[in-house]
Amino acid sequence: MFALVDGNNFYVSCERAFRPALVGRPVVVLSNNDGCAIARSNEAKDLGIKMGAPYFQIKHLEYTSDLVALSANFALYGDMSERMMSLAAGLGPEQEIYSIDESFIGLQGVRDVTRRAWAIRERIARGVGIPCGIGIGPTKTLAKLANHIAKDAERKPGSYPAHLARVCNLSEMPPAELAALLQATHVGDIWGIGRRISKQLNEAGIANVWQLTQADLGTIRRRWSVVLERTVRELRGESCIALEDEPPPKQMIACTRSFGRPVEDLAPLIEAVSEYASRASEKLRRQGGVAGQVQVFAHTSPFRPGPRYSRAILVPLLRPTADTALIVRSAIKGITRIYEPGYQLIKAGVILLDISDRAIVQEELDLGDDGKDRSALYGALDKLNQRYGKGTVHVASTGIDSDSARWGMKQERRTPRYTTNIDDIPIARC
Amino acid sequence: MAGSTVRAGFPSPAEDWSQERLDLTKLLVPHPACTFLVKSGGLSMKDAGIDDGDLLVVDRYMKAQHRSIVVAVVDDDFTVKYLYRRNGRVRLQAANPTFPDIIPHDGQTIEVWGVVTACIKRFVKV
């Protein structure tokens, strides 16, 4: 049995935790590289703003609809994520941090799951200020679906029964009720089913999830793939995807592992983190992306005796990159910074954030045909910058941070680093 | 030296070695994931020992009681005051006679953002 805990409109919720004035207003958070909406408050969604909408297309809503557009404040989101994750870990004996705002919890041996999920949700809402949705199911795919139901039941009244809002447990449901939920869910809303496959399924007469669970496994495997077959098995309640074994999410790439035995020294920690960082970089290159930030974390077990430790740090990359060496170097910098001796660490991980499409970067370079290997170009850029100092030459669309010279936009619209920089902490009127 | 108990016989010189050094964070912060630092701005809590510019340790998990010092949200702004909660009446009180109480008017709510658990005055910038 699994739970999926995720923060609602996470980046926006982080901003609202420190700016009560943003509550109830439409808010979007923009990516650093290309000024697209990467998080939207419910009010912004209701204005029709789509995920990935370019800023220039929604700018007018600032005047007509009170929209607030903010630049991404990854230092804040990374820290708030770590706070949320450490509380979410209290739900069960195993946790897999899947992305900056979602984690799967293994629930083996946990009694009274639904009540406990409500308690954890309340703890995160009160203690960190982030509203969460929690989905519970016998498989990871069903937990993910339960999470989708928990969120939609809250945000879109009428889409699902109201009593499933916020916390939805599919594993303690009468079969008829579960079937009705599966019938009310479109196949495109299932974890791992993209737009293309969802279209093909519709053409084959499979529109809702219940129909998909009734499909013949052999046919699914032959016409589509083993991966889709696995999804169908999971939807039928047969667990095929273990913790830490699934396709990475698009907007961030996490690589985390529990250690076989607790680790206390820095050297093996550096080794582990380097390995995660290089594996994450490979995934990143495979999906043709570049990352702007590396988050590194490590923690002790919440279930073992002994002193507790849980820390994370966000290390910005000099420029968005998929270069293993640069990413590993940043990850090592991060783990060295947060390391403290004397703790039995059972887990560490690396999360790549602020991911954008390398193709977009190339397109805007406008240097001829697409798909050409740009590594020579990047190499030349690096050489020039090494020789003449940082930021001498850079790709126009990537907006290199030389330590202080940032895009105007990034600085104007970024809220303070409330939790990671002593000069940026909130001021309360006395 | 804190925490060592007096026993019969000679104290072991190594006794301190087996102890873990006191850690300010652990002493001041029971809920690290829910604790935030906030800077005080103003003099309304002077008689509670909070001066302008002090660092405040704020626990958002802790439940506020009557007479807790809290960070509250009033008209979308953070303010630090004593929480007064008696006979169903809620108001915010300053610790400085020159500041009036904040009494919510109709339709206005006072939201407690967190409980101030400690105030830190820094005499040396580290």
Side-chain angles (χ1 to χ4, degrees):
Chain A
M1 179 127 81
F2 299 94
L4 179 69
V5 182
D6 87 332
N8 301 348
N9 311 331
F10 182 68
Y11 296 167
V12 172
S13 296
C14 291
E15 299 286 356
R16 284 178 168 174
F18 294 92
R19 294 219 172 174
L22 295 175
V23 175
R25 288 184 63 160
V27 179
V28 294
V29 172
L30 302 171
S31 63
N32 283 334
N33 299 327
D34 44 9
C36 296
I38 52 174
R40 303 158 297 153
S41 71
N42 291 345
E43 298 79 0
K45 290 174 187 174
D46 292 342
L47 286 176
I49 298 173
K50 294 272 173 284
M51 194 62 158
Y55 175 53
F56 70 86
Q57 284 179 7
I58 55 175
K59 200 171 163 29
H60 64 282
L61 296 168
E62 292 177 327
Y63 306 103
T64 58
S65 314
D66 263 353
L67 173 70
V68 178
L70 300 166
S71 310
N73 183 347
F74 283 107
L76 175 67
Y77 310 151
D79 177 63
M80 293 294 274
S81 164
E82 198 240 331
R83 292 166 182 265
M84 180 175 87
M85 295 300 177
S86 70
L87 294 183
L91 185 54
E94 282 189 283
Q95 179 183 42
E96 174 203 341
I97 294 178
Y98 181 56
S99 70
I100 195 169
D101 61 350
E102 19 174 20
S103 70
F104 283 102
I105 310 289
L107 296 171
Q108 214 172 0
V110 178
R111 284 210 303 270
D112 225 356
V113 170
T114 307
R115 210 177 45 84
R116 198 172 163 133
W118 276 106
I120 293 284
R121 188 188 180 279
E122 204 272 331
R123 203 178 286 179
I124 295 171
R126 194 175 80 220
V128 190
I130 304 284
C132 282
I134 301 183
I136 299 156
T139 68
K140 284 175 92 174
T141 307
L142 284 167
K144 193 95 175 159
L145 170 60
N147 178 275
H148 166 79
I149 293 169
K151 280 193 292 197
D152 270 17
E154 182 174 23
R155 201 172 83 76
K156 305 176 190 161
S159 59
Y160 294 107
H163 69 277
L164 300 174
R166 300 178 173 187
V167 173
C168 168
N169 187 346
L170 294 180
S171 65
E172 52 177 35
M173 209 168 256
E177 193 182 344
L178 180 60
L181 289 175
L182 297 182
Q183 275 161 355
T185 306
H186 188 268
V187 286
D189 290 329
I190 292 300
W191 190 32
I193 298 184
R195 205 169 306 167
R196 194 173 51 88
I197 291 178
S198 139
K199 195 162 159 266
Q200 292 168 354
L201 286 169
N202 291 347
E203 282 159 6
I206 298 171
N208 68 51
V209 179
W210 188 82
Q211 291 169 325
L212 183 60
T213 59
Q214 302 307 302
D216 174 64
L217 287 173
T219 310
I220 294 282
R221 187 171 56 241
R222 275 191 306 277
R223 283 194 57 183
W224 284 279
S225 66
V226 176
V227 177
L228 188 60
E229 181 201 2
R230 193 174 70 165
T231 299
V232 176
R233 283 180 190 274
E234 283 247 322
L235 288 168
R236 291 178 178 184
E238 183 189 332
S239 186
C240 320
I241 307 175
L243 281 177
E244 302 182 347
D245 154 35
E246 74 275 305
K250 266 278 180 249
Q251 278 314 298
M252 50 201 96
I253 294 176
C255 220
T256 72
R257 279 281 179 281
S258 299
F259 301 126
R261 66 168 69 103
V263 169
E264 212 178 313
D265 297 329
L266 182 58
L269 210 53
I270 285 181
E271 216 170 287
V273 163
S274 307
E275 194 203 328
Y276 306 151
S278 50
R279 237 179 311 136
S281 317
E282 273 165 43
K283 287 187 196 171
L284 180 65
R285 283 197 298 277
R286 263 206 303 277
Q287 69 177 51
V290 288
Q293 318 262 345
V294 182
Q295 164 123 357
V296 187
F297 66 87
H299 60 78
T300 54
S301 165
F303 290 88
R304 290 187 192 200
R308 292 274 188 89
Y309 168 96
S310 169
R311 282 193 68 186
I313 189 167
L314 194 81
V315 186
L317 288 152
L318 202 58
R319 57 179 169 76
T321 182
D323 183 324
T324 301
L326 292 175
I327 290 171
V328 168
R329 200 184 316 155
S330 298
I332 292 174
K333 205 169 17 175
I335 196 74
T336 309
R337 178 79 59 83
I338 61 173
Y339 172 77
E340 282 178 42
Y343 294 98
Q344 299 278 308
L345 301 167
I346 58 141
K347 189 170 209 171
V350 170
I351 302 176
L352 302 184
L353 294 168
D354 196 9
I355 290 176
S356 50
D357 205 337
R358 191 166 188 156
I360 292 172
V361 175
Q362 290 183 357
E363 221 169 88
E364 295 180 4
L365 270 173
D366 199 14
L367 292 169
D369 58 315
D370 246 10
K372 209 163 91 185
D373 182 17
R374 299 265 173 240
S375 49
L377 169 70
Y378 282 114
L381 287 187
D382 290 345
K383 276 212 187 73
L384 282 169
N385 289 333
Q386 279 160 14
R387 190 176 308 165
Y388 298 109
K390 269 183 225 164
T392 305
V393 186
H394 60 83
V395 179
S397 65
T398 57
I400 288 183
D401 282 8
S402 65
D403 287 336
S404 61
R406 284 218 174 81
W407 299 88
M409 194 185 90
K410 211 184 198 176
Q411 287 213 298
E412 271 166 42
R413 303 182 160 271
R414 187 180 52 73
T415 52
R417 297 191 172 102
Y418 295 114
T419 63
T420 54
N421 184 327
I422 191 70
D423 298 321
D424 274 6
I425 62 174
I427 294 174
R429 263 199 318 211
C430 276
Chain B
M1 291 319 296
S4 64
T5 48
V6 181
R7 291 199 209 102
F10 290 96
S12 155
E15 189 177 353
D16 283 346
W17 289 88
S18 60
Q19 299 282 346
E20 211 177 318
R21 188 182 307 158
L22 287 172
D23 178 340
L24 257 184
T25 310
K26 287 182 188 141
L27 288 170
L28 296 177
V29 181
H31 309 119
C34 310
T35 299
F36 299 86
L37 286 175
V38 169
K39 198 184 202 160
S40 139
L43 298 170
S44 72
M45 295 301 284
K46 208 168 160 327
D47 296 347
I50 300 174
D51 292 312
D52 189 34
D54 284 351
L55 271 185
L56 303 175
V57 181
V58 182
D59 187 324
R60 295 200 63 186
Y61 183 66
M62 212 172 264
K63 286 206 164 102
Q65 317 282 338
H66 175 63
R67 295 301 286 163
S68 291
I69 297 179
V70 297
V71 174
V73 178
V74 178
D75 297 334
D76 293 338
D77 252 333
F78 292 136
T79 182
V80 179
K81 296 286 177 290
Y82 277 117
L83 177 68
Y84 174 95
R85 201 164 52 194
R86 271 285 170 271
N87 328 323
R89 284 212 311 259
V90 175
R91 56 180 61 177
L92 297 172
Q93 295 179 319
N96 179 336
T98 63
F99 285 80
D101 289 1
I102 297 172
I103 301 166
H105 47 256
D106 277 349
Q108 196 186 31
T109 52
I110 287 178
E111 186 204 332
V112 173
W113 191 84
V115 176
V116 178
T117 57
C119 166
I120 300 166
K121 299 179 192 299
R122 291 180 297 171
F123 304 119
V124 176
K125 269 269 200 252
V126 180

